[in-house]
Amino acid sequence: MWKTILRRVLLMIPQVIILSIIVFAIAKMMPGDPFSGMITPDTDPATIEALRQQYGFYDPIHVQYFRWVGDALQGDFGMSYTYRLPVTRLIGERITNTIWLSLVTLIITYSISLPLGMLAGRYQNSWIDRFVVVYTFITYSIPVFVFALILLWLFGYTLNWFPTRGSVMSGIPAGTFSYYLSRFHHLLLPAFTMAILSTTGTVQYLRTGVIDAKSQDYVRTARAKGVPERVVYNRHIFRNSILPIAAFFGYELTGLITGSVFIETIFSYPGMGNLFISAITSRDYSVILALMLLFGLATLLGTLLSDIIMSIVDPRIRVQ
């Protein structure tokens, strides 16, 4: 196990190097620069030019790249040109919100998808199965921003059940029970929105796995021995049908972290996705570079996590 993890980590080193080059190149190909938005009719062009010289925007590309990599290895991603704060501090203030949003989303996703997948597979071609198939068809086909806007309008503005922006109610002292309750209240609607749209794959994988497992020899043997039907499904069929879902667990977790851009923007939730959109619109290159690199690293770590989980769940599968 540990040899496998070490081998995977070593293979990630060239992947991270290639990722950093791609991220840097994409950021440099964006039109304009962080100081373009400062230009007004009253702005002195010499001031903008001096800022570009100061931050090394006219240095050779390879010099800029190695300077950025050297600083990044020391945990310094520079200053945000928009917020006038260190990028690490800016991301540190947002990453907690995104992680909590992703974890709550994951809990809601599996709380919905596992029972639906099991019921649809167990009662194949019944009204329950048809309902689940229609449900997955709708959640797969509806765009994220459309569904999010509908829930925001319904539960946020019409019913007033949930807040429509922010991560905590202002004026509540940090660290109190009311503070954490307010944070949970603010993230519940965005998390529920992401969870509903994230259940499709899990439900379909589990439904297909249950249908296939019902006809296997070990299931027939268990039934022939008089094992109760509940035990057959919970201990035999479910454990073998869950393997594809376990294989994609790491991808799904990191996918939620990196794919919350639309949700955080629509709900004005102060996470990394919202910060990423804000950085793009303001051409804040230092923030864009750091976030793109962080999202790429999260994807690589998700791959590693999926391999580890799969080898734990199914001892027959070992990465040689």
Side-chain angles (χ1 to χ4, degrees):
M1 173 64 69
W2 292 110
K3 291 182 180 180
T4 299
I5 297 175
L6 179 61
R7 189 182 300 114
R8 287 290 187 178
V9 171
L10 292 177
L11 287 175
M12 286 173 58
I13 295 177
Q15 294 175 333
V16 171
I17 295 174
I18 296 174
L19 173 65
S20 66
I21 295 174
I22 294 175
V23 166
F24 187 81
I26 291 175
K28 285 301 177 182
M29 287 189 293
M30 293 179 60
D33 57 52
F35 309 108
S36 301
M38 301 179 182
I39 299 176
T40 64
D42 300 327
T43 303
D44 183 6
T47 303
I48 302 297
E49 195 66 22
L51 288 173
R52 290 170 178 160
Q53 293 283 354
Q54 176 184 348
Y55 287 96
F57 276 81
Y58 295 117
D59 292 344
I61 294 296
H62 67 279
V63 174
Q64 297 184 46
Y65 170 75
F66 285 111
R67 181 170 59 231
W68 172 68
V69 170
D71 293 338
L73 290 175
Q74 301 176 35
D76 181 13
F77 289 94
M79 293 286 294
S80 168
Y81 303 104
T82 303
Y83 296 92
R84 306 296 181 184
L85 292 171
V87 175
T88 51
R89 176 183 170 186
L90 192 61
I91 295 177
E93 294 173 350
R94 305 291 189 99
I95 193 172
T96 304
N97 290 336
T98 298
I99 290 176
W100 277 112
L101 176 63
S102 301
L103 290 177
V104 174
T105 300
L106 201 64
I107 293 173
I108 298 175
T109 298
Y110 284 113
S111 299
I112 296 173
S113 58
L114 294 183
L116 287 182
M118 283 296 296
L119 288 172
R122 181 173 181 174
Y123 303 105
Q124 185 184 7
N125 297 325
S126 67
W127 68 268
I128 298 177
D129 185 29
R130 288 193 290 270
F131 168 79
V132 172
V133 170
V134 172
Y135 165 81
T136 55
F137 175 77
I138 294 174
T139 55
Y140 180 77
S141 59
I142 188 170
V144 176
F145 62 91
V146 172
F147 187 66
L149 288 173
I150 292 174
L151 294 190
L152 180 64
W153 167 78
L154 178 60
F155 295 106
Y157 290 102
T158 303
L159 299 176
N160 292 319
W161 288 359
F162 298 97
T164 58
R165 61 185 302 110
S167 62
V168 66
M169 185 180 296
S170 60
I172 301 179
T176 62
F177 177 76
S178 299
Y179 174 82
Y180 292 111
L181 187 62
S182 177
R183 288 181 65 91
F184 179 74
H185 191 208
H186 278 74
L187 67 83
L188 193 56
L189 184 58
F192 179 77
T193 305
M194 290 180 63
I196 290 296
L197 299 178
S198 302
T199 56
T200 305
T202 304
V203 171
Q204 291 289 2
Y205 276 123
L206 185 56
R207 175 183 179 273
T208 304
V210 171
I211 293 174
D212 291 340
K214 288 193 301 184
S215 60
Q216 297 298 317
D217 292 336
Y218 65 87
V219 175
R220 297 195 191 99
T221 302
R223 285 172 173 161
K225 291 180 177 179
V227 178
E229 196 71 7
R230 177 181 57 84
V231 177
V232 170
Y233 275 95
N234 292 340
R235 291 190 179 180
H236 298 279
I237 295 178
F238 178 74
R239 290 180 61 182
N240 288 277
S241 303
I242 204 72
L243 294 180
I245 299 175
F248 288 99
F249 179 82
Y251 296 104
E252 187 164 358
L253 178 60
T254 56
L256 291 173
I257 295 176
T258 60
S260 59
V261 175
F262 289 112
I263 296 296
E264 291 183 359
T265 302
I266 292 173
F267 288 95
S268 299
Y269 187 78
M272 292 194 298
N274 195 354
L275 178 63
F276 186 61
I277 294 296
S278 175
I280 291 176
T281 55
S282 61
R283 298 186 179 90
D284 200 342
Y285 286 151
S286 55
V287 178
I288 294 173
L289 283 169
L291 286 176
M292 290 178 66
L293 183 62
L294 185 62
F295 290 156
L297 289 174
T299 303
L300 294 177
L301 291 175
T303 305
L304 176 63
L305 181 60
S306 292
D307 292 338
I308 294 173
I309 292 175
M310 193 60 188
S311 61
I312 293 175
V313 173
D314 189 356
R316 298 170 300 174
I317 300 176
R318 301 292 181 185
V319 181
Q320 299 298 330

